[in-house]
Amino acid sequence: MQTRFILINTSHAGNVGAAARAMKTMGFSDLVLVAPRWANVLNRDETIQRASGALDVLKNARIVATLDEALDGMTHLCATAMTPRDFGPPTVTPREHFESLIKKELLTHIQRGLEADLAYKNDNFPATAETAQALAAVPPQRGIGFLFGCERFGMRNEDVYRCHVALSIPSDPKFGSLNLGAAIQVIAYEWRLALGAFPVQAATLAPVLADAAQVAGLLGHLEQSLQAIGFLDPLAPKKLMPRLNQLFNRAGVTQEEVHILRGIAKAILQNTLQPCDLTPATASVQG
């Protein structure tokens, strides 16, 4: 489903740049401006600065004179409104509507696929393989358009009436007015979430769990160090080492953590096995 963001009568050039940035971060690029205040808005310094690198979105953006031109190819229109209107499309939250829309699209595709399959397999149904393929290939929706009004007045009623739904971001009723760029960011995020969010990129490589041999080596090293500091009596060890073994199993220690713990054990052994550097005065006190 093609996604288009449509800004109507935008008055601040910076908001156009902010819109481009918000769209790019969520993987969208189709931006159309309807009769903006500045004819050269896409090239203004403030626009480029606020876009913060989303210059490809600005480069591909289109400026049109009428809303009809902006809606070409769009089959599902979403207005944005802070408060419900007495007349017009239903007002819902973006997440609620997007979940419903995606579910409906999936069910429609599945139903068409089943109908096409049955049409092809049913001897009593006068359909050919070409007919079945045609049924399955017809997309329920061609494109979805998100409409945003001017910063000061929002969307005109006549523009809202053309839409299938009015999206209302669930903000604080006492202060629900969002900046245009912020509103676009929220809508773009919710729509991307509904379509399937981008995976979070890990900053580091995934840790590798230590295997049984590495854990056994760690336990042996720890046993020596604990004996060296007098914490573990080799003649009466009880269940200290098996308990440590269970602790490491529950923790799921990684290879890197094993290296750290063995480094601690090594330092303990090095410090406890070296002869004490005692002064005569200290030695007499110790004696």
Side-chain angles (χ1 to χ4, degrees):
M1 194 187 308
Q2 182 182 0
T3 300
R4 180 176 299 163
F5 287 80
I6 302 168
L7 277 56
I8 306 171
N9 303 132
T10 309
S11 59
H12 297 287
N15 284 335
V16 176
R21 180 180 182 180
M23 291 170 56
K24 186 175 178 65
T25 59
M26 293 297 113
F28 302 113
S29 59
D30 191 353
L31 173 64
V32 178
L33 309 177
V34 179
R37 176 184 178 186
W38 308 98
N40 65 338
V41 65
L42 297 175
N43 300 315
R44 293 179 70 87
D45 290 340
E46 186 180 358
T47 305
I48 295 173
Q49 291 172 3
R50 290 288 300 277
S52 188
L55 300 182
D56 53 336
V57 178
L58 294 179
K59 181 179 179 180
N60 295 324
R62 295 182 293 119
I63 296 179
V64 297
T66 65
L67 181 58
D68 284 331
E69 296 174 83
L71 298 181
D72 181 44
M74 298 293 101
T75 57
H76 188 80
L77 306 180
C78 300
T80 51
M82 188 177 72
T83 55
R85 284 165 165 76
D86 295 334
F87 175 78
T91 300
V92 296
T93 65
R95 185 166 300 184
E96 178 186 359
H97 180 65
F98 294 160
E99 289 178 352
S100 174
L101 180 62
I102 292 296
K103 185 181 295 184
K104 180 180 178 181
E105 291 295 295
L106 289 174
L107 290 175
T108 302
H109 278 291
I110 292 172
Q111 182 178 359
R112 287 174 179 271
L114 291 175
E115 289 175 351
D117 188 53
L118 290 173
Y120 180 63
K121 292 181 178 179
N122 191 346
D123 295 336
N124 297 323
F125 192 90
T128 63
E130 289 75 17
T131 304
Q133 292 175 358
L135 280 171
V138 176
Q141 296 287 354
R142 291 172 55 194
I144 182 170
F146 298 112
L147 282 64
F148 298 84
C150 70
E151 293 87 338
R152 187 174 180 182
F153 300 108
M155 289 188 62
R156 301 183 307 170
N157 285 337
E158 50 264 42
D159 294 336
V160 174
Y161 297 158
R162 301 183 62 174
C163 296
H164 298 82
V165 66
L167 301 179
S168 180
I169 297 172
S171 53
D172 188 342
K174 297 179 181 178
F175 190 73
S177 178
L178 274 76
N179 170 268
L180 178 58
I184 292 173
Q185 185 70 81
V186 173
I187 297 295
Y189 167 76
E190 291 287 349
W191 182 230
R192 173 54 62 193
L193 203 63
L195 294 174
F198 294 118
V200 175
Q201 300 294 323
T204 58
L205 296 176
V208 180
L209 292 177
D211 60 27
Q214 291 169 325
V215 173
L218 167 63
L219 289 168
H221 209 162
L222 282 177
E223 186 174 11
Q224 295 176 36
S225 62
L226 293 175
Q227 289 178 11
I229 62 175
F231 187 83
L232 173 61
D233 183 356
L235 300 178
K238 298 183 179 180
K239 296 182 178 180
L240 176 60
M241 300 314 298
R243 288 184 184 278
L244 287 177
N245 198 158
Q246 290 298 306
L247 185 153
F248 294 142
N249 287 345
R250 289 196 304 272
V253 291
T254 66
Q255 292 182 359
E256 184 178 358
E257 290 166 344
V258 166
H259 294 324
I260 294 172
L261 292 172
R262 294 198 67 162
I264 295 172
K266 180 179 179 180
I268 292 173
L269 288 171
Q270 287 176 340
N271 285 300
T272 54
L273 295 180
Q274 290 178 354
C276 295
D277 183 16
L278 301 177
T279 64
T282 306
S284 64
V285 173
Q286 292 287 341

